[in-house]
């Protein structure tokens, strides 16, 4: 274990204290998605699947996360959420019309790497809609906001995990909860679980009820991690608290 003082709040790129790892990756996309919760810096994010276990996509290295977003999870998210979006039209349905647009936005983000959505990218995306729309009756003008919505959510997910992965890979051995029998491939799912929980549960505080919910979900979230919940809990909480600093008005305190 490292003897350096523990500071899990340093910028992963500059090393400056008082920064937040997730904020490095997602600050540029905050509030981009229509309907995102007021006060949320980066909004709900998805789950990554596949890729090489243990691959590190550090913000400092400027690399891409090795995995892909879970397409089934994204489809189910939008199935529930699309009706809350201001651009949806009751004359169209999810499966036939909007699902192809959300799927296209996800595919665009995966194929475009770290490119941001701008006029140049939008022109390319618009040109590809006719061949990607499948059964959708939406014109580009009707599909555009849904495509961008899915792109932005995907971008938030990749950048949030990329920043957290790169940060904690360099810091986890200095944590007071670190157990020497395990390595970063065991702790990474815990950090991602805490990051995802905090982004998706904006407005909740860490209390006994939330901890029971997270414990219940750990067996699914852990993937290949060898950590049992009692061993992973503090790492999950660490990532939750780091994200919590983005919303100081929530008033959450460590219990």
């Amino acid at each position: 274990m490292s003897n350096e003082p523990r500071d899990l709040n340093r910028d992963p790129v500059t090393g400056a204290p008082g920064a937040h790892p997730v904020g490095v990756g997602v600050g540029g996309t905050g509030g981009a998605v229509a309907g995102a919760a007021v006060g949320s810096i980066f909004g709900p994010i998805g789950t990554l699947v596949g890729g090489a276990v243990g691959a590190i996509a550090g913000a400092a290295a400027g690399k891409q996360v090795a995995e892909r977003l879970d397409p089934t999870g994204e489809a189910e998210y939008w199935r529930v959420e699309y009706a809350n979006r201001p651009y949806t039209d009751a004359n169209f349905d999810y499966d036939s019309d909007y699902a192809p647009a959300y799927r296209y936005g996800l595919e665009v983000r995966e194929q475009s790497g770290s490119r941001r959505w701008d006029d140049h990218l939008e022109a390319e995306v618009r040109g590809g809609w006719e061949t990607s729309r499948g059964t959708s009756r939406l014109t580009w003008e009707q599909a555009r906001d849904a495509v961008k919505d899915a792109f932005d959510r995907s971008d938030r997910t990749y950048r949030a995990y990329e920043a957290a992965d790169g940060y904690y890979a360099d810091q986890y051995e200095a944590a007071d909860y670190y157990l020497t029998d395990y390595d970063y491939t065991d702790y990474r799912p815990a950090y991602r679980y805490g990051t995802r929980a905090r982004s998706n549960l904006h407005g909740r505080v860490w209390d006994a009820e939330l901890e029971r919910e997270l414990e219940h979900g750990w067996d699914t979230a852990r993937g290949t991690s060898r950590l049992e919940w009692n061993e992973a809990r503090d790492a999950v909480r660490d990532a939750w608290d780091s994200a919590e600093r983005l919303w100081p008005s929530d008033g959450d305190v460590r219990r």
Side-chain angles (χ1 to χ4, degrees), residues 16-36:
H20 182 267
V22 173
V24 171
V26 300
T29 60
V33 173

Side-chain angles (χ1 to χ4, degrees), residues 192-213:
R192 288 186 170 187
Y193 189 39
T195 298
R196 186 172 78 249
R198 188 64 192 90
S199 67
N200 292 348
L201 298 174
H202 181 66
R204 296 284 299 274
V205 297
W206 187 286
D207 55 17
E209 180 181 1
L210 176 64
E211 188 169 329
R212 284 193 296 270
E213 293 175 17

Side-chain angles (χ1 to χ4, degrees), residues 144-186:
R144 185 261 185 197
D145 287 345
V147 174
K148 186 175 186 298
D149 218 350
F151 178 95
D152 286 343
R153 172 176 159 85
S154 303
D155 192 59
R156 283 198 310 276
T157 299
Y158 280 119
R159 293 182 188 279
Y161 290 139
E162 179 182 347
D165 285 355
Y167 178 76
Y168 284 113
D170 293 332
Q171 299 287 340
Y172 80 105
E173 290 178 303
D176 53 14
Y177 51 76
Y178 169 61
L179 301 172
T180 57
D181 290 339
Y182 302 109
D183 58 29
Y184 188 63
T185 60
D186 297 304

Side-chain angles (χ1 to χ4, degrees), residues 116-130:
R116 300 286 189 172
W117 185 285
D118 57 19
D119 291 343
H120 297 291
L121 180 59
E122 183 170 335
E124 296 174 21
V125 175
R126 176 174 184 155
W129 173 239
E130 287 303 316

Side-chain angles (χ1 to χ4, degrees), residues 231-242:
E231 299 168 317
R233 184 260 186 201
D234 285 345
V236 175
R237 180 69 195 268
D238 202 351
W240 171 282
D241 284 346
S242 292

